[in-house]
Amino acid sequence: MGKKKKRLEIEAEAKINNPENSQTDAESNLSFLNGDSHNKKKKKKPKAVKENDTEAKAVEIPTVSIAIAGSIIDNAQSLELATRLAGQIARAATIFRIDEVVVFDNKSNSGSNGAFTTHNNSNENERGAAFLVRILQYLETPQYLRKALFPRHNSLRYVGLLPPLDAPHHLRKHEWSPYREGITLKERATSYVGTMVDVGLDKNILVDQVLEPGVRVTVAMGTNPNFDSDLPCQVVSSSKPREEAGKYWGYKVRYASNISSIFIDCPYKGGYDYLIGTSEHGLIVNSSQLTLPAFRHLLIAFGGLSGLEKSVEEDNKLKGKNVHDVFDLYLNTCPHQGSRTIRTEEAVFISLQYFQEPITRALQGAAS
């Protein structure tokens, strides 16, 4: 409880020091690329609908987020190697069903979180967090939407060399799924009021809402696997496939200007309720003996070239604090290493495998 109190103090101090809490255009673009992002403000339901409150709480699905220092890109010796490094992070996030990837900088003060978007058409070479955000977003997007959502950019020059994520929402034309990702089009329907959407099929489909063109949406396709119905489909939250069908539906990408911004700008109501840091200086516990508490939103953080210790030290909002004050648990997930260093992209795979069993036990304990 002491650590949670300290974390709340950090967030409170940051909000006092940073009263401008308006969302920038760049942040809007970032959530646009992420589809129906969980950081959108939801309209409050009238008090009369109280009977649905317990049902809504019951279907809330726990999430696992990872935070990665953008500085890991600076260690790559070429654009191709930097692209392959980012591809490994994307593969790890998908394989282990991560819900959110936060890419953080080591700036001493908070800048514009979410400032890096794929709408920057400049062909200047990107480094660090900007590059990692772009590649992670690109790879998470289904192939048939990439051309419409991602203008040509020098940072994307080598993405064709990367293995596909092959996530459940990366569907082929012939594959039926109750949900598909799509992009809204300028073309208007003639027989119904609504919007035409490209969902990667031979023909565009109609949804029953009037939406701006160029927006990524998740569409409930109905029950007809032949794709031959002319009835309008429905746009739903991007979390719906997981809530209703148990399908993993990709990860969101968020930028944080420093390590404290990871927690302060958390998109989940109530914030992350359990924070884990990873380091070779952390506590050594066997995965089979590690017990995690029941959680709603878990975050696992990975440091950059200088580790999480340096990121905490350089953050002005965390003055006088160390990693043990910031994180609920600080672990060494790969003890007795043979190499003097473990690269972050390697640590992500090692650590996410390490946490599989403890996370499963925590979720099973919460469900029982």
Side-chain angles (χ1 to χ4, degrees):
M1 289 298 290
K3 288 181 181 175
K4 284 191 179 178
K5 188 176 178 183
K6 287 177 186 175
R7 199 157 71 243
L8 289 172
E9 287 171 3
I10 293 168
E11 294 179 13
E13 284 171 20
K15 285 176 182 173
I16 291 167
N17 296 333
N18 207 9
E20 304 93 353
N21 204 22
S22 59
Q23 189 181 41
T24 63
D25 290 339
E27 285 175 293
S28 299
N29 288 337
L30 190 62
S31 60
F32 149 77
L33 283 160
N34 281 333
D36 185 10
S37 175
H38 42 219
N39 65 344
K40 287 186 181 176
K41 291 182 180 176
K42 295 184 179 176
K43 292 181 180 177
K44 290 182 180 177
K45 290 185 179 179
K47 288 184 180 178
V49 203
K50 274 189 176 176
E51 60 267 19
N52 292 334
D53 288 353
T54 48
E55 187 182 339
K57 284 177 186 174
V59 297
E60 185 183 26
I61 296 175
T63 64
V64 179
S65 301
I66 59 174
I68 302 198
S71 61
I72 65 171
I73 295 297
D74 299 330
N75 204 30
Q77 295 171 321
S78 68
L79 180 62
E80 181 181 340
L81 290 175
T83 305
R84 290 185 184 277
L85 188 160
Q88 286 180 274
I89 302 295
R91 286 283 299 171
T94 304
I95 289 168
F96 293 103
R97 299 169 65 93
I98 296 302
D99 299 285
E100 179 196 34
V101 181
V102 188
V103 180
F104 67 94
D105 261 330
N106 281 344
K107 296 176 181 175
S108 56
N109 293 304
S110 294
S112 295
N113 294 320
F116 300 123
T117 79
T118 60
H119 293 288
N120 172 15
N121 294 328
S122 165
N123 253 342
E124 294 179 8
N125 289 330
E126 292 173 317
R127 297 297 294 173
F131 180 88
L132 186 53
V133 165
R134 187 182 298 273
I135 301 296
L136 289 174
Q137 287 180 329
Y138 181 89
L139 292 175
E140 187 279 334
T141 303
Q143 289 88 331
Y144 56 86
L145 298 180
R146 290 173 181 171
K147 188 175 180 181
L149 290 174
F150 291 84
R152 291 174 65 89
H153 195 281
N154 190 54
S155 294
L156 300 174
R157 193 193 310 173
Y158 293 106
V159 288
L161 300 174
L162 300 178
L165 300 189
D166 211 14
H169 62 303
H170 290 200
L171 295 158
R172 283 78 169 172
K173 277 187 180 181
H174 64 277
E175 290 181 301
W176 182 83
S177 169
Y179 302 94
R180 290 184 81 96
E181 290 294 287
I183 184 169
T184 55
L185 306 170
K186 290 182 181 178
E187 175 190 351
R188 291 297 173 190
T190 53
S191 50
Y192 294 93
V193 175
T195 306
M196 299 304 293
V197 178
D198 177 4
V199 292
L201 300 175
D202 289 324
K203 67 173 186 175
N204 300 324
I205 59 108
L206 173 69
V207 297
D208 58 2
Q209 292 173 250
V210 178
L211 301 168
E212 290 292 317
V215 178
R216 178 175 165 180
V217 291
T218 304
V219 180
M221 299 296 295
T223 56
N224 184 359
N226 297 319
F227 308 118
D228 56 5
S229 173
D230 291 325
L231 294 174
C233 297
Q234 189 178 15
V235 172
V236 297
S237 164
S238 60
S239 62
K240 202 77 170 174
R242 187 174 175 201
E243 293 168 356
E244 297 291 329
K247 282 177 176 269
Y248 174 67
W249 211 246
Y251 53 78
K252 308 295 183 190
V253 183
R254 179 164 67 91
Y255 168 73
S257 56
N258 50 33
I259 197 163
S260 61
S261 295
I262 298 172
F263 321 125
I264 295 164
D265 300 316
C266 174
Y268 299 113
K269 186 177 179 181
Y272 304 111
D273 51 353
Y274 204 71
L275 305 177
I276 300 176
T278 60
S279 168
E280 61 181 321
H281 307 298
L283 184 68
I284 297 175
V285 182
N286 287 335
S287 175
S288 59
Q289 297 173 334
L290 178 65
T291 301
L292 298 179
F295 61 85
R296 291 178 302 107
H297 306 296
L298 170 69
L299 176 91
I300 304 167
F302 299 88
L305 305 179
S306 304
L308 289 172
E309 293 91 347
K310 191 71 173 174
S311 297
V312 170
E313 183 185 320
E314 292 178 352
D315 193 321
N316 285 342
K317 292 190 181 68
L318 300 176
K319 287 293 182 188
K321 300 183 185 296
N322 59 42
V323 287
H324 299 286
D325 298 318
V326 173
F327 295 99
D328 298 299
L329 200 57
Y330 202 59
L331 290 174
N332 181 353
T333 58
C334 186
H336 317 303
Q337 60 196 58
S339 172
R340 278 195 286 271
T341 56
I342 294 179
R343 298 169 65 91
T344 303
E345 64 272 26
E346 297 166 340
V348 171
F349 269 104
I350 293 167
S351 299
L352 293 183
Q353 177 56 45
Y354 169 93
F355 285 116
Q356 283 301 286
E357 192 181 333
I359 287 174
T360 302
R361 286 198 301 269
L363 296 178
Q364 287 174 343
S368 59

